[in-house]
Amino acid sequence: MNTDHVYDLVHNRNCQEAKRWYEDAEAERWSQNPAGWKLIGGLIGACFAVAGQESQWPTVTDAYAAIRNQPNGDCKYVAGRRTLEQLAEFRIAHPKGKVRVRPASRSVQACPPGIKGMTPETAAPEESVYVHGTWPSEVTIHLDGQPVPVVPAENFPLCCHNTNVKFKVPKDTPDGQVRVTLRTRTITLDAGLLTISRS
């Protein structure tokens, strides 16, 4: 588990679940990416603070103070740091001010969607297949346009950045090639051709 999925939980205003993942993170993970995890802690504090928990504002400003000189990182870090900066600086300038969060336009995404790969690329019916990539919300999976069930994976939530989605090849799928696509509410991603072989 890494910071990517916790960013997505905060983005979706799922504050409590984000806090649970954050608190369950192992110390080793934190030491590998201290700025990323400090940012996440600040964003979780902000998630609660803008919902009315005033006691969380020091978490926001303290986290920003800790990372203010570390502007660089991946797409999620940069977007999250920008949000934390805006919240922290507003709060410092207006200690009694209220913050209202508006949803971003659907066209605004911190990380562009795309497929990184599929493993394996050849599978028999009832075998598991993973698609790796980034998508803006939970996906449905389709083989040649026909939906197949998503198999939940404990370590990889169904959304959004640098994640995996898992499915099993239906047992009645004939040998040959099928096109795998992932669909969200707004986009369709082509994962490529999967070869079905019983041999």
Side-chain angles (χ1 to χ4, degrees):
M1 190 265 291
N2 57 31
T3 57
D4 291 329
H5 309 305
V6 193
Y7 280 120
D8 297 325
L9 289 168
V10 174
H11 174 78
N12 292 328
R13 310 280 297 274
N14 194 340
C15 312
Q16 198 61 49
E17 185 70 0
K19 182 181 178 185
R20 183 183 71 79
W21 279 70
Y22 177 81
E23 290 176 348
D24 287 349
E26 300 171 5
E28 179 184 351
R29 307 271 187 195
W30 286 56
S31 65
Q32 291 170 356
N33 183 11
W37 283 106
K38 190 67 176 177
L39 171 61
I40 284 292
L43 291 174
I44 292 170
C47 190
F48 286 109
V50 298
Q53 295 188 28
E54 293 286 318
S55 63
Q56 291 296 313
W57 279 113
T59 303
V60 177
T61 53
D62 291 350
Y64 178 60
I67 65 166
R68 67 182 304 156
N69 295 322
Q70 300 180 57
N72 298 321
D74 66 11
C75 50
K76 286 286 176 80
Y77 178 87
V78 170
R81 185 189 174 282
R82 185 168 57 245
T83 299
L84 190 71
E85 176 183 20
Q86 292 169 342
L87 289 168
E89 291 190 348
F90 176 85
R91 183 65 180 185
I92 291 166
H94 309 279
K96 297 193 180 297
K98 301 292 183 186
V99 175
R100 182 181 301 167
V101 177
R102 292 180 303 176
S105 162
R106 286 189 176 185
S107 63
V108 177
Q109 296 177 14
C111 303
I115 302 294
K116 285 189 172 180
M118 180 167 53
T119 54
E121 295 180 353
T122 299
E126 300 193 279
E127 285 188 350
S128 295
V129 178
Y130 293 84
V131 181
H132 320 282
T134 294
W135 32 85
S137 58
E138 291 189 8
V139 295
T140 56
I141 302 173
H142 302 259
L143 301 185
D144 280 347
Q146 297 301 310
V148 297
V150 172
V151 178
E154 181 179 343
N155 294 325
F156 287 95
L158 300 179
C159 176
C160 294
H161 177 58
N162 280 347
T163 192
N164 292 332
V165 66
K166 176 183 176 182
F167 67 94
K168 284 192 176 181
V169 178
K171 96 177 135 177
D172 58 352
T173 307
D175 285 5
Q177 290 189 316
V178 292
R179 184 162 296 280
V180 179
T181 54
L182 275 58
R183 298 179 187 174
T184 74
R185 295 185 300 270
T186 56
I187 62 170
T188 297
L189 297 172
D190 185 354
L193 293 172
L194 173 67
T195 300
I196 309 300
S197 176
R198 288 168 169 78
S199 56

